[in-house]
Amino acid sequence: MIMCASGRSYERAGVREYWLVHPIDRTLTVYRQEQGRYGGATVTELAGETPVGILPCVVIAWDALVGRLAPPED
């Protein structure tokens, strides 16, 4: 996946982690800095729980949130 222009700005500013939530595709793309640069993106389904890497003990519970979205179009 290609990092957006904002991602390059985030990287320069030292943002350690950022997420792109894709509600239509029901996916999450996470970029995390490794040695001052973003490594490859991690893409997961919006299901279960996702820990927030920069905030220990914080998780996002997707099932309740996704249940509030409109059904995906075929």
Side-chain angles (χ1 to χ4, degrees), residues 1-11 18-22 28-32 37-43:
M1 178 165 283
I2 298 172
M3 184 175 23
C4 64
S6 298
R8 288 187 287 279
S9 296
Y10 298 158
E11 187 176 75
Y18 78 96
W19 295 18
L20 300 174
V21 177
H22 309 280
L28 168 68
T29 304
V30 178
Y31 291 92
R32 289 188 177 97
R37 298 194 54 92
Y38 290 120
T42 301
V43 180

Side-chain angles (χ1 to χ4, degrees), residues 4-67:
C4 64
S6 298
R8 288 187 287 279
S9 296
Y10 298 158
E11 187 176 75
R12 284 192 302 271
V15 175
R16 295 180 293 164
E17 176 179 290
Y18 78 96
W19 295 18
L20 300 174
V21 177
H22 309 280
I24 294 171
D25 298 336
R26 305 290 203 267
T27 60
L28 168 68
T29 304
V30 178
Y31 291 92
R32 289 188 177 97
Q33 279 205 13
E34 300 168 4
Q35 300 171 353
R37 298 194 54 92
Y38 290 120
T42 301
V43 180
T44 59
E45 184 179 348
L46 294 181
E49 295 183 339
T50 302
V52 178
I54 61 169
L55 298 172
C57 302
V58 176
V59 297
I60 305 298
W62 294 111
D63 297 331
L65 295 171
V66 171

